[in-house]
Amino acid sequence: MSTQSPDSFVIDGKLALPYQYFAGRTGSRFLTSIRDEKKIKGLKCEKCNKVFVPPRQTCERCFEDISENWVELENAGTVTGFTIIRYEEPHQPFKPPYILAQIKLDGADTSLTHIVKGVALSQMKTGIRVQAKFAKNSTSTIMDIDHFRPIKPKFELGYSYDELEIGMSASFTKTITESDVYQFAGISGDFNPMHLNEEFAKMTPFGTRIAHGALPQSLIAPVLGMKLPGLGTVIPEITVRFRKPTYFGDTVTATAEVVEFIEARRWVKLELTWTNQRDELVAEGHAIAIPPTPMG
Amino acid sequence: MGYKKKNRHVGIVGVGETKFSSHREDVNQAEMIHEAVRQALDDANLTMDDVDCVVHGNMELFEMIHQPDLWHTLGSGAYGKDAFRLTTGGTTGGTLACAGDNLAASGMYDVVMAIGFEKLQEGHTTGGITNMADPLWARKLQSGALTDSAAVKLIEEFGAERARRAAMTYRIIMDKHACLNPNSHRAFGLDWDQMDDLMENSPPLIGDLRLIHMCSQSDGACVVIYASEEKAKQITDTPVWVRDHITVHREETLDLCNNYYPTDTTHRFAAEKLYERNGITNPLEYFDVFEMYDPSAWWGTDWLKEFFLLEDDDHLKLVENKEIMIDGKMPINPSGGVIAANPIGATALVRVAEAAKQIRGNAGPHQIQKPVNHALASAFGGTMWTVLTMLEKELNW
């Protein structure tokens, strides 16, 4: 007894609730095929044309015995609903937060409740495709499916046309060194002395060596090809107008910003700017981008 | 008493019972229930579409599960139907029988399916029962479901030797009946030459209550289908009519100023009222069979006195003269009774189902050979609950 209040006892109690549950032959067969064959099976009612997972001995609609009509299902399915568990309780399988989802396996008519991992909580949504990941060690329970994970494409891709928005921008910054200029001369074959010969360069309007214009310009390639739209993008057009030279040691930032959708072709137009560490506009222009489309 | 005559007659048109056993690993709860549901539907030649209402019952917390009726739908067939859950302790099966009768009699439903089940092997009965006790005054003091109060009472009244011998006679008779019933959980094949050995050597539980006297913990389900008079006559040529039922309950801990059994037992009180309002003056003569909820041989022996309103040692004589055997003057539990199988939430409904089968004449190997026209079934639960159900072959009262 505790005495939180001076004149009223409160009895603290705790009752254990030990139990067993007999899975039965039908439930056991479902678990056995997951454990031994890594296959999820359902029971089909031919009369109602429904496949039930988890399996049940009788069809809930027509009450027929369907206990022998096993069908093999895909280990993949679609999330039909989900919730994010954020409070902590001792009976939970993991420490929250985690995602509990209803997953309709391909070939089934009912949803199976299970854990989804491998997706950011903020990005979780109904309709995503997930795949069963089986547990390393069997417990002969439904946790022999350890969890479900989103089915990811073989290769990562950048933003698709539908994912892009006006105003999205990305940039890449690099310091241009003498070494970069020498290598670029080799790559391009442009050994113009204004890039390579300091004494010659003193006689030019710039008074010292400058980088090839295409060198800072090329810094937009990692932006478009790896960031925005990103991996898988094709660029059919880039236009550039050069505004300032780039001297050795200058730090150049190349920036792209989505400004227009070309709806007819599902392409986008991006505005391009190059600036240096003195906030001078080095160059400006635009690009037409064909954003990546899902492969395979 | 708020008793009123029924709105319309109700008949039992189908019964189903699983085999009772200590373990049913091969089926889960819903599947086990389904076995009895399927049997009862087949027995009545009905489909689930013909059933208007499903009443489900078991002991609270005995399987340590919450709202079992909801997920048992897969086996019970309650999908899309009106449904109720009852949980009145040991009497659950008896209350299910009352509900089946009342719901069909009310006019709300023409066909009502009553389902009682228990899978005691899955749960922890003491854990469940412990929840019943008053947390402040009783929870730390109770012993569980076992008591030897009936043994104390019989020994005080008739002496140890006679009382012990009567209880063991009762026990052996019940085992002989259980051996006839293919659904029995426990049927040992006991015989009279084992009396002295069992009285001496069966492991003691509490006082004079020994293991052999006590009922088992069983898994199993029972289903009884009730129908209105009109429907019942359409469904079957052999409906068994529910004449009346009565429920009496007293919470013993509210009456601690008296000694145990302070006034009449709920059994005697229920029996008196039931017979009185149905004009039965000599129940021992009237009834052809009695399916009693007898949790132990001691209780079974003692309670005969209460249910048949006997005096002195008449109940002991019934036992000693083996008049309670299947071929005796007053057959008690041709099924073997509760000591043979006790799937608690189903147990009292099994009494009604067995009584109905005896009236129909198709109980199987444990069918009473003489005609059975009037049957009585009882239910018992803690702390003192009694439910009595009267069944009739003819609709002529």
Side-chain angles (χ1 to χ4, degrees):
Chain A
M1 289 211 206
S2 65
T3 51
Q4 290 152 6
S5 152
D7 60 355
S8 303
F9 289 120
V10 174
I11 297 169
D12 296 313
K14 188 175 182 179
L15 288 165
L17 303 177
Y19 72 96
Q20 295 181 297
Y21 185 71
F22 298 165
R25 286 209 181 90
T26 303
S28 299
R29 251 175 92 174
F30 177 74
L31 293 172
T32 310
S33 68
I34 290 174
R35 185 191 66 194
D36 299 343
E37 304 167 55
K38 306 277 182 259
K39 279 179 184 163
I40 305 174
K41 290 179 180 172
L43 279 170
K44 182 172 188 180
C45 177
E46 297 289 352
K47 201 169 143 193
C48 301
N49 196 27
K50 297 272 180 222
V51 174
F52 299 104
V53 186
R56 57 205 59 178
Q57 212 178 45
T58 50
C59 172
E60 68 185 28
R61 302 298 170 104
C62 70
F63 217 45
E64 287 294 309
D65 185 344
I66 56 170
S67 57
E68 293 305 318
N69 305 338
W70 289 95
V71 289
E72 207 172 293
L73 301 167
E74 299 297 326
N75 290 343
T78 305
V79 171
T80 58
F82 73 93
T83 189
I84 297 169
I85 314 292
R86 296 185 189 273
Y87 74 105
E88 197 169 340
E89 278 283 346
H91 65 261
Q92 290 166 338
F94 327 97
K95 198 174 156 61
Y98 61 90
I99 301 167
L100 200 57
Q102 290 276 303
I103 297 146
K104 199 165 134 184
L105 294 170
D106 296 349
D109 289 287
T110 54
S111 290
L112 179 74
T113 305
H114 222 294
I115 311 283
V116 170
K117 288 183 180 173
V119 54
L121 299 183
S122 64
Q123 301 301 308
M124 182 62 191
K125 58 189 175 192
T126 298
I128 66 166
R129 300 276 302 153
V130 290
Q131 188 158 28
K133 295 291 165 189
F134 295 96
K136 286 195 190 82
N137 301 314
S138 170
T139 51
S140 295
T141 68
I142 192 66
M143 296 315 287
D144 278 13
I145 302 173
D146 191 72
H147 65 277
F148 284 80
R149 301 186 82 77
I151 301 171
K152 291 218 168 116
K154 198 169 172 188
F155 301 106
E156 280 185 35
L157 290 175
Y159 293 103
S160 67
Y161 179 82
D162 295 321
E163 289 167 332
L164 288 166
E165 290 177 41
I166 302 289
M168 285 171 87
S169 75
S171 64
F172 177 66
T173 305
K174 187 180 183 303
T175 303
I176 305 294
T177 64
E178 183 177 7
S179 160
D180 292 330
V181 174
Y182 269 84
Q183 288 184 59
F184 197 79
I187 291 164
S188 64
D190 179 359
F191 292 94
N192 186 331
M194 69 190 296
H195 304 310
L196 307 172
N197 183 335
E198 182 61 26
E199 294 306 317
F200 177 88
K202 280 179 182 168
M203 298 186 296
T204 67
F206 306 112
T208 184
R209 284 173 292 171
I210 61 166
H212 303 77
L215 179 50
Q217 185 205 341
S218 70
L219 299 187
I220 201 65
V223 178
L224 298 173
M226 297 176 71
K227 291 185 171 181
L228 187 73
L231 303 179
T233 299
V234 175
I235 306 292
E237 179 183 318
I238 293 184
T239 61
V240 193
R241 186 176 174 87
F242 294 102
R243 297 292 186 188
K244 292 272 183 192
T246 295
Y247 300 104
F248 290 14
D250 275 3
T251 298
V252 176
T253 297
T255 304
E257 181 179 329
V258 180
V259 290
E260 191 184 325
F261 287 108
I262 304 165
E263 283 181 32
R265 315 191 77 161
R266 292 173 66 78
W267 293 358
V268 290
K269 186 173 177 183
L270 298 104
E271 199 173 85
L272 311 178
T273 52
W274 288 262
T275 53
N276 63 22
Q277 73 277 16
R278 294 179 293 274
D279 284 335
E280 293 165 340
L281 185 67
V282 175
E284 59 188 338
H286 76 262
I288 303 293
I290 305 173
T293 50
M295 296 184 287
Chain B
M1 300 283 291
Y3 171 72
K4 288 199 177 68
K5 204 167 155 42
K6 280 202 280 191
N7 185 43
R8 56 178 179 175
H9 292 301
V10 172
I12 291 171
V13 297
V15 295
E17 281 175 43
T18 63
K19 161 100 177 107
F20 303 114
S21 75
S22 62
H23 281 75
R24 286 301 307 273
E25 289 98 334
D26 56 324
V27 283
N28 67 25
Q29 291 171 14
E31 291 164 355
M32 188 184 74
I33 285 167
H34 185 71
E35 286 179 7
V37 169
R38 182 71 68 186
Q39 233 190 78
L41 287 172
D42 290 348
D43 183 48
N45 200 21
L46 295 176
T47 71
M48 205 60 214
D49 292 341
D50 302 311
V51 177
D52 302 317
C53 176
V54 175
V55 192
H56 173 289
N58 74 316
M59 289 288 281
E60 190 95 77
L61 281 179
F62 267 27
E63 285 77 17
M64 297 297 162
I65 50 171
H66 182 55
Q67 293 193 306
D69 53 323
L70 299 185
W71 51 282
H72 288 170
T73 295
L74 293 174
S76 71
Y79 181 83
K81 297 188 186 296
D82 281 14
F84 300 88
R85 175 169 184 242
L86 295 172
T87 176
T88 58
T91 31
T92 294
T95 311
L96 287 166
C98 298
D101 182 28
N102 285 354
L103 288 165
S106 73
M108 288 277 289
Y109 308 102
D110 288 335
V111 180
V112 180
M113 177 185 274
I115 303 172
F117 102 96
E118 212 74 67
K119 262 193 142 187
L120 289 173
Q121 206 61 42
E122 295 190 358
H124 189 251
T125 51
T126 305
I129 284 181
T130 304
N131 284 284
M132 183 178 76
D134 185 311
L136 186 55
W137 308 124
R139 196 163 279 178
K140 303 238 183 265
L141 301 171
Q142 62 191 336
S143 68
L146 303 185
T147 164
D148 76 329
S149 56
V152 171
K153 185 174 166 229
L154 284 171
I155 288 169
E156 263 183 18
E157 208 175 343
F158 302 105
E161 173 62 18
R162 190 181 175 197
R164 285 179 186 145
R165 203 158 278 282
M168 197 54 69
T169 304
Y170 183 96
R171 178 66 190 92
I172 292 174
I173 291 172
M174 288 307 130
D175 189 66
K176 286 184 176 296
H177 291 174
C179 287
L180 299 174
N181 181 356
N183 284 340
S184 294
H185 168 186
R186 295 195 309 171
F188 298 121
L190 301 180
D191 221 332
W192 304 113
D193 58 2
Q194 290 171 271
M195 281 258 294
D196 294 317
D197 178 39
L198 289 170
M199 284 163 62
E200 191 75 21
N201 295 322
S202 173
L205 298 175
I206 290 187
D208 260 279
L209 180 74
R210 291 175 182 272
L211 190 59
I212 192 68
H213 294 125
M214 197 59 200
C215 60
S216 58
Q217 295 196 66
S218 312
D219 289 0
C222 177
V223 169
V224 177
I225 303 175
Y226 294 84
S228 63
E229 180 182 349
E230 192 187 339
K231 273 273 179 187
K233 285 175 174 168
Q234 288 168 16
I235 292 167
T236 174
D237 295 333
T238 55
V240 174
W241 302 107
V242 184
R243 179 161 173 181
D244 200 358
H245 56 77
I246 188 166
T247 298
V248 176
H249 178 220
R250 181 172 62 221
E251 170 59 52
E252 293 290 306
T253 55
L254 300 179
D255 198 15
L256 290 175
C257 52
N258 289 304
N259 209 339
Y260 59 77
Y261 298 165
T263 53
D264 282 350
T265 64
T266 54
H267 291 339
R268 183 172 281 261
F269 188 86
E272 277 175 355
K273 294 286 172 197
L274 185 74
Y275 303 154
E276 189 188 318
R277 72 194 187 194
N278 287 284
I280 291 159
T281 48
N282 187 346
L284 209 51
E285 287 300 322
Y286 184 80
F287 291 107
D288 301 312
V289 63
F290 176 30
E291 273 288 337
M292 194 207 308
Y293 195 122
D294 56 342
S296 80
W298 284 107
W299 266 337
T301 305
D302 183 42
W303 290 352
L304 284 170
K305 185 174 185 173
E306 309 300 307
F307 288 122
F308 290 113
L309 313 179
L310 303 176
E311 300 297 335
D312 306 323
D313 63 348
D314 284 351
H315 57 309
L316 289 199
K317 285 183 195 154
L318 275 179
V319 174
E320 288 160 350
N321 299 331
K322 304 191 175 72
E323 296 291 3
I324 61 168
M325 281 193 79
I326 188 164
D327 54 358
K329 181 172 159 4
M330 182 63 244
I332 306 293
N333 295 347
S335 63
V338 181
I339 309 174
N342 189 22
I344 302 186
T347 302
L349 193 61
V350 174
R351 308 281 69 77
V352 176
E354 284 293 333
K357 286 198 283 189
Q358 289 293 344
I359 286 180
R360 295 198 311 200
N362 65 350
H366 58 291
Q367 175 66 46
I368 296 167
Q369 290 311 310
K370 286 185 282 191
V372 179
N373 295 312
H374 317 287
L376 182 67
S378 79
F380 170 71
T383 44
M384 281 305 293
W385 279 71
T386 304
V387 181
L388 284 174
T389 305
M390 274 179 72
L391 302 179
E392 300 283 350
K393 183 167 192 162
E394 303 297 337
L395 191 56
N396 61 0
W397 61 89

